Each structure stands twice: as structure tokens, then as C-alpha cells.
Amino acid sequence: MKAVLDIGKTHIKLLFVSGYEQVASFSCKNAPIAGQYPQADVDSIWDWIVETLKSCTYTKEVEGFVVTTHGATAALIDDNSTDRSKALTLPILDYEYQGIDECAQRYKLERPDFSESLSPLLPAGLNLGKQLYWLEEKYPQEFAKANAILLYPQYWAWRLGAELSSEVTSLGCHTDLWQPAKRQFSTIAVNKEWSKLFPPLKNAWDCIGKVNADVSRKTSLPISCKLYCGIHDSNASFLRYLNIESQPTEQFTVMSTGTWTILMQSGGDVSTLHDKVDTLANVDINSNPVSCARFMGGREYERICTTLGGNIKMNPTESEVQEAISNCWRVTPDFSEGNGPFPDLTPQLLCPERPPSPQAIATLYCALMINQRLNDLEAKGAIYIEGAFLKNPLLCRLVAQLRRQQPVFASTDNTGTVLGAAALIGYKKNQKHSLDLEKVEPSNFSGLDSYADEWVELIKIAQ
């Protein structure tokens, strides 16, 4: 039995996997709490993990445990502490805290150039380097007490009993701390001596210890349970497609959807990324740069629905989508506080104040944003859709209609991140495997192409 802890920005999941089948799943909401600054609610997260493990009948059977989390998050700890729950020298900063931008101009002078880090300067704390810069400047005494910086997956593995470690998918996730091409720390990480605080790099699939006795007593996990290094969540989704059998195209794009929609293009030309807003390179588990484009798909979908009086739990019908297209009901960016390809735009609500189906308008918006991001990546080859947007089949079909020149496939489950992370237990590099995928048939909405073209023109005018 395998256990996967998936800490996303808005939800936490704990799943039990046997073979390739999910046998149990538990989830709860995740939200930052107030304090000296907005911060991860680590105590509540830990309590939920402990209680969920203790109450599950499968826990005693778990042989391997792996953690996957969102990026742009790290823990400053004093490893000399005898109680790991009290080892934080500063609370774990919430990357959406915009107060960090008070140091943006100073940080900009010291951060590495895009050609080095393959990461743009992002708002709030989405560059982990900016977080460290702000924390060190704002709380120098507490910062100085830290003798280790743990990336978020490795922090939770350490809490369970693992050794201190670092891993490249989180380290290379728009942090400004890594040079993807040279596979080494960036100049700012070295110059500020932060690189010395990161524990040794391990492979995502490396075993880095076993559950300690205290955790075993509290959770019912066996002390023989192996703990694995773990992985950044979007990279867990991408991992599943690296070595699949019968790959239809040499290049492909994996679209991981949730609070963030992250598009990852294999074999893409990273040299062109700086030309587009919020495109960057992530790093896969083999340390290879991967061309990426992003927007806050789940967040924006929710905000559009609620702004227009809709229900985010309801999918639109075909007739509702066609009605929105025919009447040119649309919204334009940005609904995400400065993320994605159009960060500086004020949203336009070009539709009735209370349209018949806000979900249709939000669905069209996300399909158009996905199409824009694919264009920005100059994406070629197959497109694989993972995650939350699988629950909206019409959205997937709209993408297929907008990208008729590329085959579009949907994962047959919406837990690609979890199954990708679970694959790290017993992982063998370059081993071929198969995936259950469904071909997405394009929708056939009348007027979609002109609707998309007009949306692009509205954005150009607004810029």
C-alpha cells in the first residue's frame, strides 16, 4: 500500500493507492491564517494528517509514503530542535501575500537575469527568492537562527521522520534560486549564501528515511514505512507522460489544472520564453528544463462564476455555451491579481449583469486562456489534460476545437498528480508504461473562431 499526501493551495488530500488503483481518499480545505504575515496553517494541517491517518484502516498497511505540494513555498527551520513541530524559526509564508512587494525594487536589482534562472519576476511571493529576500530583510534575527531551508514537500517528509533533503522540481519552480541550464544554484542563492542552507539534493524517488517512532505512535503508520523525497505537484502530473508507450508525437504538452493551470511543453525551446509574459521553465525530475506557461485557471473560473452570480459546481450545457458565443457574451482578463499572460488588465464584463449561465462564460474564458498559453509556448504535438478541468467535459472539447491541428487527450482520472507522485515509490528511470487516456472529440460550436479572434482584439485594445 502507498500513501500520497497532496498539499494544494486550496485543498489537501491524503490518498491510499494499491497498484495503480486509488482505494481511499480524504480531503480538507487549505487556507492561510493571519499572524505577523499570512502564513501556512501548519499546525492544523499536521493535526488533520495525524487524525486522518489514525482513523483510516489502510494506514497500518502503508509501505511507502510520498508528499507532493504546490510550489513557491519553503520552511526555515532550526534542525537542532528536539521537537520537529517547533523547529520553524519563522512561519511559512503564504506566497500570495502582496506585502512582499515592498521589497520588489530592491530585489529586482539583485535577482538573476531571466537568461540565468529562466524565471520572470512574479508578483507577491511567487518567486521563492523574493520571499527569502523579504524575510531576511524584515526578520534578520529569526532568519539567522535557521540552519536549513526545506522546500515544502521535503518539509512534510521531514516532519514524518525523514532526513533533511532538497529536490530539483521544487527548487527549479520559478524560484530565482536555480540555473536550469547549468543545473546549479543561481548567483543570488550563492551571493546571499542561501545555497548553504539547502540540504543535499536527492532524486524525487529516493528513500530519505522511515517514519519515526513518535509519528508511528500518533498515526498508526508502521515504523517500517519508507519516506520518499517527494515532488512539486505539476511535475508529478508531467512525470506520468515522460515515458509512456505509443507516444503519438515527439513533442507534447501536459496541462495540469487546479487552482493553477500549468501548461508544460516537452522539448520546447526555452530560449524564446522571455518574450511572453508569465512563461518560464520548470525542471522535471531528471533536471531537464521544461517550457511552461501559466494562469490561475481554477481561481479565475471561480471568480468569474461568483462575480456573475453563477454556481461553480454546475457545468454549462452545450446550448448555454452556444448562446454565450452567439450573443458575444464574454469577459476579459484579469481575475487573478496580476498573474498569467495579461497581468495588468482590468476585467471587462461584456455580458448581462446576471447572464443565464455564468458557467458558460467562465468555461469559454478558460478555454480561450488555455489556447492563448498554448500559442505562447508555440506548442506542438499531443495535448494531455490533467486535474480539475476534467470535471468540465465541454471545456476540454472547446480546447480540442480551438486546437484542431493537435490531438487532445483526457486522463481517465482526475488524480494525475497523486498517481504521478505514487509512481515515485519503486520508480525506475526511463521505464516505459501505459496510461489510460481518452481522445477528446472537438466540439462544434458555431462562431467560436470569430468569438476567439474578437476576444484577442479586445485584449489588444485594452493593452
Side-chain angles (χ1 to χ4, degrees):
M1 185 72 64
K2 305 174 182 179
V4 178
L5 176 63
D6 178 9
I7 301 180
K9 195 64 175 65
T10 53
H11 291 88
I12 304 168
K13 300 174 185 176
L14 181 62
L15 299 102
F16 294 82
V17 178
S18 179
Y20 296 100
E21 296 294 327
Q22 176 184 306
V23 297
S25 173
F26 305 89
S27 66
C28 70
K29 289 280 189 179
N30 188 24
I33 57 173
Q36 61 201 92
Y37 46 75
Q39 58 196 254
D41 190 1
V42 293
D43 290 337
S44 294
I45 294 172
W46 179 255
D47 290 343
W48 180 84
I49 294 168
V50 169
E51 290 303 315
T52 305
L53 285 168
K54 192 163 188 173
S55 64
C56 181
T57 57
Y58 292 107
T59 299
K60 293 180 180 179
E61 303 174 34
V62 174
E63 298 175 341
F65 197 112
V66 66
V67 183
T68 181
T69 78
H70 60 77
T73 306
L76 289 158
I77 67 163
D78 178 2
D79 184 39
N80 296 317
S81 175
T82 56
D83 184 348
R84 294 190 179 190
S85 69
K86 294 180 171 58
L88 291 171
T89 66
L90 281 165
I92 296 175
L93 182 61
D94 173 32
Y95 68 64
E96 292 190 83
Y97 177 48
Q98 296 184 354
I100 302 168
D101 279 329
E102 68 183 15
C103 77
Q105 290 304 314
R106 295 186 298 279
Y107 177 70
K108 190 175 181 180
L109 297 175
E110 296 190 53
R111 71 183 294 269
D113 187 73
F114 186 94
S115 61
E116 178 185 328
S117 68
L118 298 182
S119 176
L121 180 62
L122 297 171
L126 281 165
N127 297 120
L128 183 56
K130 195 203 289 187
Q131 289 187 39
L132 298 179
Y133 188 94
W134 183 80
L135 288 168
E136 187 172 37
E137 187 176 80
K138 197 85 171 176
Y139 306 98
Q141 292 181 341
E142 294 90 338
F143 195 98
K145 292 177 182 177
N147 60 14
I149 300 174
L150 291 180
L151 297 156
Y152 212 32
Q154 289 73 53
Y155 169 72
W156 289 106
W158 178 76
R159 285 289 301 266
L160 291 164
E163 301 171 1
L164 297 174
S165 62
S166 300
E167 193 274 328
V168 75
T169 61
S170 294
L171 188 56
C173 177
H174 51 79
T175 63
D176 285 346
L177 303 173
W178 192 248
Q179 297 188 59
K182 294 185 177 181
R183 303 187 178 193
Q184 64 187 33
F185 282 99
S186 69
T187 49
I188 192 171
V190 173
N191 292 341
K192 301 290 284 185
E193 298 190 343
W194 300 331
S195 58
K196 296 178 180 179
L197 296 175
F198 284 92
L201 277 170
K202 301 288 185 180
N203 295 310
W205 61 88
D206 284 346
C207 174
I208 55 172
K210 294 182 179 179
V211 167
N212 67 34
D214 182 56
V215 170
S216 177
R217 179 180 56 81
K218 291 177 179 176
T219 64
S220 298
L221 283 168
I223 57 174
S224 59
C225 175
K226 294 180 178 179
L227 300 169
Y228 292 82
C229 190
I231 190 170
H232 171 236
D233 53 12
S234 296
N235 277 281
S237 295
F238 189 75
L239 163 63
R240 301 212 301 161
Y241 296 88
L242 284 177
N243 301 305
I244 65 173
E245 295 174 344
S246 305
Q247 178 68 260
T249 53
E250 183 176 345
Q251 292 190 28
F252 60 87
T253 302
V254 177
M255 191 167 72
S256 175
T257 64
T259 301
W260 286 92
T261 295
I262 314 246
L263 296 92
M264 297 166 280
Q265 168 77 15
S266 74
D269 182 4
V270 297
S271 67
T272 65
L273 291 175
H274 69 281
D275 295 329
K276 306 292 183 181
V277 177
D278 212 351
T279 58
L280 57 140
N282 276 0
V283 178
D284 70 17
I285 62 167
N286 299 315
S287 298
N288 298 315
V290 179
S291 296
C292 296
R294 321 172 313 154
F295 73 104
M296 292 190 85
R299 178 72 56 80
E300 294 201 82
Y301 184 95
E302 180 177 349
R303 287 187 175 170
I304 292 167
C305 281
T306 54
T307 299
L308 299 179
N311 184 344
I312 63 170
K313 295 183 178 180
M314 292 178 60
N315 284 334
T317 64
E318 289 193 21
S319 61
E320 289 170 336
V321 171
Q322 186 62 69
E323 182 183 27
I325 294 171
S326 299
N327 285 289
C328 298
W329 293 338
R330 56 172 68 91
V331 294
T332 62
D334 168 56
F335 292 86
S336 68
E337 286 89 37
N339 298 292
F342 309 112
D344 300 320
L345 298 188
T346 300
Q348 300 179 71
L349 307 178
L350 305 173
C351 59
E353 185 176 340
R354 287 291 183 266
S357 178
Q359 298 85 249
I361 295 171
T363 295
L364 282 161
Y365 175 89
C366 288
L368 294 174
M369 287 287 280
I370 288 166
N371 188 51
Q372 178 65 48
R373 299 276 65 185
L374 288 166
N375 286 339
D376 291 340
L377 288 176
E378 301 178 5
K380 300 178 179 64
I383 298 168
Y384 300 107
I385 303 176
E386 287 266 358
F389 280 169
L390 291 172
K391 298 176 183 177
N392 188 338
L394 270 181
L395 174 52
C396 300
R397 294 186 62 205
L398 280 163
V399 172
Q401 182 175 349
L402 290 165
R403 311 295 296 189
R404 285 188 181 275
Q405 72 278 21
Q406 296 173 260
V408 178
F409 298 91
S411 173
T412 55
D413 61 78
N414 62 359
T415 56
T417 296
V418 169
L419 293 179
L424 295 173
I425 301 173
Y427 179 77
K428 295 180 180 178
K429 195 172 180 179
N430 299 323
Q431 182 178 1
K432 293 288 184 180
H433 59 273
S434 59
L435 281 180
D436 289 329
L437 301 166
E438 291 180 353
K439 180 75 180 296
V440 177
E441 294 302 325
S443 54
N444 193 30
F445 291 110
S446 175
L448 179 62
D449 288 343
S450 59
Y451 180 93
D453 291 342
E454 290 165 9
W455 184 80
V456 172
E457 287 303 312
L458 285 168
I459 292 171
K460 287 181 180 177
I461 292 169
Q463 290 176 312

